[in-house]
Amino acid sequence: MRPIICCDLDGVLWRGETPIAGSADGIAELRAAGLRVGFITNNSSIPIAGYVDKLRAFGVPAVAEDVCTSAQAAAALVASKLAPGAAVLACAGQGVVDALMERGLRVVDAGPVEAVVVGFHRNFDFDRLTVAADAVRGSALFVATNLDPTYPIAGGLVPGTGALVAAVSTAAGRTPEVAGKPERPMADLVRARFGNEGIMIGDRPSTDGAFARALGWPFALVLSGVAGTDGEEPVPDPPPPFVAVDLARLAPLILKSLPGVS
Ligand SMILES: [Mg+2]
């Protein structure tokens, strides 16, 4: 059976709004060899339709079923623990709001809630921190979409969800359950969607590499994001089975490793 190629987005296909050169060609090369490619991101702020549009705009045709986000993993985690219609505070972007509603949960801005989901959003501020921390300090289920400390954008890094979660966690004195890579809810989502055999491509060893290990899949590291000589994370020692400067250079290495695929 051919493995599914699961590909992280930030730092692999793009940095913010800037495409990483050759990445669309790399995906096309994998697909031309008959491999299915799924896109797995810890960035929960953008709704699925937004990712499909962004992928298409970057020259990578995709449908909703190709994309798994930490927002979906977080919503699945909440839905597994609460009754339909339960009130959930989304201290997060539209992607989390959509995913929670899709699971039959009621998204509210304030008031008594049974769960709080913290995800990436750029309008996080003192007031939102106050509301989220108040809810978490009670008995609400506390879920983080992911703990990535930063995201790579053109020319640098911006604070990631982990930084926002740390603020809520510190103010509330509680530790969250984490849904996204490398944690179990995302692994369950990926297995249910794509099956048990795959290769995980990513730029962050601490999440993408750990996620590959959690799935029992080979990790393919690209150095176009947070890892590398000048990067935030070192290349693991020993290195993962595939390492390349970018997706364009990585795709041929993966294809060469798969007998019967060319
Ligand atoms: Mg990434």
Side-chain angles (χ1 to χ4, degrees):
M1 212 180 99
R2 293 186 168 187
I4 177 84
I5 307 298
C6 281
C7 188
D8 173 46
L9 293 175
D10 289 296
V12 180
L13 286 196
W14 52 60
R15 295 183 71 103
E17 299 308 312
T18 307
I20 292 168
S23 57
D25 295 337
I27 298 293
E29 196 177 338
L30 294 168
R31 284 173 164 170
L35 298 172
R36 184 176 179 198
V37 181
F39 302 100
I40 318 295
T41 180
N42 264 359
N43 188 334
S44 64
S45 61
I46 303 177
I48 299 298
Y51 277 118
V52 168
D53 289 346
K54 185 169 180 178
L55 282 161
R56 286 180 184 158
F58 281 51
V60 180
V63 295
E65 290 68 36
D66 296 332
V67 183
C68 284
T69 68
S70 63
Q72 293 175 319
L77 175 59
V78 173
S80 74
K81 300 199 172 201
L82 300 181
V88 182
L89 180 77
C91 180
Q94 189 62 39
V96 168
V97 173
D98 286 5
L100 289 168
M101 283 170 31
E102 207 167 283
R103 291 277 180 175
L105 297 154
R106 191 161 53 89
V107 180
V108 298
D109 291 330
V113 294
E114 292 184 58
V116 176
V117 178
V118 180
F120 185 72
H121 58 304
R122 285 172 174 270
N123 52 339
F124 183 78
D125 63 10
F126 193 83
D127 291 341
R128 292 178 73 93
L129 170 59
T130 304
V131 170
D134 279 348
V136 169
R137 211 173 289 117
S139 58
L141 177 66
F142 179 23
V143 172
T145 57
N146 63 298
L147 295 179
D148 293 47
T150 58
Y151 293 115
I153 60 165
L157 301 171
V158 291
T161 315
L164 312 189
V165 172
V168 176
S169 183
T170 301
R174 284 182 60 199
T175 307
E177 294 185 45
V178 183
K181 292 176 287 184
E183 301 299 331
R184 177 76 180 271
M186 185 69 115
D188 290 346
L189 189 67
V190 166
R191 283 189 193 284
R193 185 86 65 88
F194 299 120
N196 289 324
E197 199 185 329
I199 295 172
M200 180 67 209
I201 301 175
D203 68 309
R204 187 184 283 281
S206 65
T207 54
D208 300 311
F211 190 57
R213 276 197 303 282
L215 288 162
W217 295 0
F219 177 44
L221 174 66
V222 290
L223 306 180
S224 49
V226 300
T229 27
D230 302 322
E232 186 189 348
E233 289 193 15
V235 174
D237 180 19
F242 305 98
V243 183
V245 291
D246 55 27
L247 190 53
R249 256 62 68 95
L250 182 71
L253 301 182
I254 288 178
L255 290 177
K256 211 161 55 173
S257 77
L258 298 172
V261 175
S262 61

mmCIF file of all heavy atoms in Angstrom, residues 73 111 118 129 138 144 152 204 214 241:
data_model
loop_
_atom_site.group_PDB
_atom_site.id
_atom_site.type_symbol
_atom_site.label_atom_id
_atom_site.label_comp_id
_atom_site.label_asym_id
_atom_site.label_seq_id
_atom_site.Cartn_x
_atom_site.Cartn_y
_atom_site.Cartn_z
ATOM 1 N N ALA A 73 -8.888 18.969 15.787
ATOM 2 C CA ALA A 73 -8.477 18.038 16.845
ATOM 3 C C ALA A 73 -8.995 18.512 18.203
ATOM 4 O O ALA A 73 -9.463 17.706 19.009
ATOM 5 C CB ALA A 73 -6.950 17.912 16.864
ATOM 6 N N GLY A 111 -19.622 34.322 30.015
ATOM 7 C CA GLY A 111 -20.624 33.603 30.801
ATOM 8 C C GLY A 111 -20.139 32.228 31.199
ATOM 9 O O GLY A 111 -19.018 31.852 30.906
ATOM 10 N N VAL A 118 -8.101 27.466 23.751
ATOM 11 C CA VAL A 118 -7.173 28.540 23.391
ATOM 12 C C VAL A 118 -6.437 28.141 22.123
ATOM 13 O O VAL A 118 -5.851 27.045 22.040
ATOM 14 C CB VAL A 118 -6.161 28.820 24.528
ATOM 15 C CG1 VAL A 118 -5.215 29.947 24.120
ATOM 16 C CG2 VAL A 118 -6.885 29.179 25.816
ATOM 17 N N LEU A 129 -7.683 37.682 27.590
ATOM 18 C CA LEU A 129 -6.936 36.895 28.574
ATOM 19 C C LEU A 129 -7.705 36.811 29.895
ATOM 20 O O LEU A 129 -7.805 35.751 30.511
ATOM 21 C CB LEU A 129 -5.552 37.537 28.788
ATOM 22 C CG LEU A 129 -4.710 37.008 29.956
ATOM 23 C CD1 LEU A 129 -4.443 35.518 29.824
ATOM 24 C CD2 LEU A 129 -3.384 37.770 30.029
ATOM 25 N N GLY A 138 -12.221 28.221 36.997
ATOM 26 C CA GLY A 138 -13.302 27.378 37.515
ATOM 27 C C GLY A 138 -13.051 25.926 37.137
ATOM 28 O O GLY A 138 -11.918 25.472 37.079
ATOM 29 N N ALA A 144 -5.839 23.394 24.825
ATOM 30 C CA ALA A 144 -5.013 24.206 23.924
ATOM 31 C C ALA A 144 -4.983 23.520 22.559
ATOM 32 O O ALA A 144 -4.823 22.297 22.492
ATOM 33 C CB ALA A 144 -3.598 24.328 24.474
ATOM 34 N N PRO A 152 6.777 30.727 11.785
ATOM 35 C CA PRO A 152 7.663 31.454 10.874
ATOM 36 C C PRO A 152 6.857 32.303 9.885
ATOM 37 O O PRO A 152 5.884 31.825 9.314
ATOM 38 C CB PRO A 152 8.402 30.324 10.141
ATOM 39 C CG PRO A 152 7.490 29.138 10.231
ATOM 40 C CD PRO A 152 6.648 29.308 11.464
ATOM 41 N N ARG A 204 9.414 21.513 12.082
ATOM 42 C CA ARG A 204 9.699 21.665 13.507
ATOM 43 C C ARG A 204 9.855 20.287 14.160
ATOM 44 O O ARG A 204 8.878 19.584 14.404
ATOM 45 C CB ARG A 204 8.571 22.446 14.194
ATOM 46 C CG ARG A 204 8.862 22.791 15.642
ATOM 47 C CD ARG A 204 7.676 23.480 16.305
ATOM 48 N NE ARG A 204 7.493 24.870 15.956
ATOM 49 C CZ ARG A 204 8.192 25.891 16.462
ATOM 50 N NH1 ARG A 204 9.157 25.673 17.328
ATOM 51 N NH2 ARG A 204 7.927 27.132 16.102
ATOM 52 N N ALA A 214 4.950 9.591 17.210
ATOM 53 C CA ALA A 214 3.683 9.153 17.816
ATOM 54 C C ALA A 214 2.897 8.265 16.854
ATOM 55 O O ALA A 214 2.212 7.330 17.271
ATOM 56 C CB ALA A 214 2.849 10.368 18.221
ATOM 57 N N PRO A 241 15.144 10.317 8.941
ATOM 58 C CA PRO A 241 15.481 9.593 7.705
ATOM 59 C C PRO A 241 15.541 10.477 6.455
ATOM 60 O O PRO A 241 16.250 10.156 5.505
ATOM 61 C CB PRO A 241 14.370 8.547 7.575
ATOM 62 C CG PRO A 241 13.388 8.805 8.659
ATOM 63 C CD PRO A 241 14.004 9.718 9.655
#
